[in-house]
Amino acid sequence: LNKDVKVSVGIAGTGGGMKKFYAGQIDICDASRPIKQEEIDAAKKNGIEYTEFKVAFDGLSVIVNKGNDWVKSLTVDQLKAMWEPDSKIKTWKDMDASWPAEPIKFYSPGTDSGTFEYFTEEITGKKGAIRTDITPSEDDNVLVTGVANDKNAIGYFGYAYYLENKDKLKIVPVDSGAGPVEPAFDTIKNGTYKPLSRPLFIYVNNKKLAEDHIKEFIRYYLTEGKALVGDVGYVPLEDAAYETELVKIK
């Protein structure tokens, strides 16, 4: 629609993107968590005023290898026992006596990732708290490959990456007390997939938002562009919610 506008996209975790954003190096920062207080303070110190737009929902997906035929679902307590810093869980048998006595290989987004922060806060109870013997990566494709190539691996990342790679991976339903629920468009949107459903945001530098091409890009993001949300594996907001976000541009 606007062929003369070039949009340059860099890749980082939410934390890495925020550093560039509050330093004034980028116009728009995608974020898989709300902006932190220290980032708000840094932006203020640097004279960066911004607007937060909620753009979609995501459901963090717990995944295992396709050949894993013993895990049918996991409770939040079981996930905590597996991933917490002092975890005694080394093998699958440590979780359930009927499961194999094979060492579990843990794959996780890196510490710079909003996904990592959200998962640890919801599952282990403290942001950033996780066992030390994980294989971390900011690149979700590394996590996909790791789990897909190891029968005893487990990992987690956004629902979009599961959809993109569901032929290689097995999704694990999560039980938060009301029975196992698998992440899907409906369960993420209505909140029954918990506690791993979350909103996604973009943060826009207000000075840049005053520029016509950026204003138009954000308008597109929240109107015609929302039709692409499902295509990339995220879950759109209700139409009324997008209308509320659009008002912020004015």
Side-chain angles (χ1 to χ4, degrees):
L1 295 178
N2 294 276
K3 295 182 176 63
D4 56 326
V5 178
K6 286 188 168 58
V7 182
S8 173
V9 182
I11 299 172
T14 298
M18 279 294 178
K19 283 175 190 167
K20 290 184 182 296
F21 184 69
Y22 63 64
Q25 296 171 6
I26 58 175
D27 307 323
I28 301 168
C29 180
D30 296 1
S32 58
R33 57 155 172 81
I35 190 169
K36 294 178 179 178
Q37 188 57 51
E38 58 260 39
E39 293 163 343
I40 294 170
D41 295 342
K44 193 172 184 180
K45 183 180 173 186
N46 294 335
I48 304 291
E49 295 184 358
Y50 61 85
T51 301
E52 174 192 275
F53 295 92
K54 189 185 289 188
V55 294
F57 290 108
D58 184 23
L60 295 199
S61 301
V62 178
I63 44 93
V64 293
N65 184 274
K66 275 274 192 191
N68 182 325
D69 56 4
W70 55 92
V71 174
K72 303 293 188 273
S73 66
L74 289 167
T75 66
V76 173
D77 286 345
Q78 284 176 314
L79 286 170
K80 182 178 190 295
M82 293 176 82
W83 291 93
E84 63 189 350
D86 302 323
S87 177
K88 303 292 188 286
I89 306 297
K90 304 292 184 190
T91 70
W92 288 106
K93 195 176 181 69
D94 293 336
M95 283 295 300
D96 186 310
S98 67
W99 292 354
E102 296 289 341
I104 306 172
K105 186 71 179 287
F106 294 87
Y107 287 88
S108 167
T111 56
D112 197 28
S113 161
T115 303
F116 169 82
E117 291 187 349
Y118 191 86
F119 183 86
T120 51
E121 188 167 22
E122 293 296 331
I123 296 302
T124 69
K126 185 181 177 188
K127 198 177 289 182
I130 201 165
R131 60 190 301 147
T132 56
D133 57 343
I134 61 169
T135 299
S137 177
E138 302 294 350
D139 183 348
D140 287 333
N141 292 312
V142 171
L143 308 180
V144 168
T145 303
V147 177
N149 291 339
D150 188 334
K151 191 174 180 179
N152 292 296
I154 188 169
Y156 65 92
F157 40 67
Y159 184 60
Y161 281 95
Y162 165 67
L163 283 185
E164 217 171 273
N165 297 280
K166 62 182 180 180
D167 56 325
K168 305 175 194 168
L169 302 165
K170 176 182 168 182
I171 197 87
V172 179
V174 174
D175 186 348
S176 62
V181 178
E182 189 173 307
F185 284 107
D186 290 346
T187 61
I188 293 167
K189 192 167 190 171
N190 65 25
T192 53
Y193 179 66
K194 54 187 181 182
L196 295 177
S197 295
R198 60 175 179 173
L200 301 174
F201 307 90
I202 58 172
Y203 289 85
V204 187
N205 184 315
N206 284 354
K207 197 178 286 184
K208 300 293 185 176
L209 190 53
E211 297 178 18
D212 288 343
H213 66 296
I214 292 182
K215 188 180 289 182
E216 176 55 25
F217 181 70
I218 303 305
R219 190 206 63 77
Y220 172 81
Y221 213 115
L222 300 168
T223 52
E224 298 101 309
K226 68 187 180 187
L228 303 173
V229 173
D231 292 352
V232 294
Y234 296 123
V235 177
L237 311 178
E238 298 292 345
D239 287 343
Y242 283 112
E243 291 298 327
T244 301
E245 297 302 311
L246 267 172
V247 173
K248 295 179 183 177
I249 297 176
K250 297 172 186 174

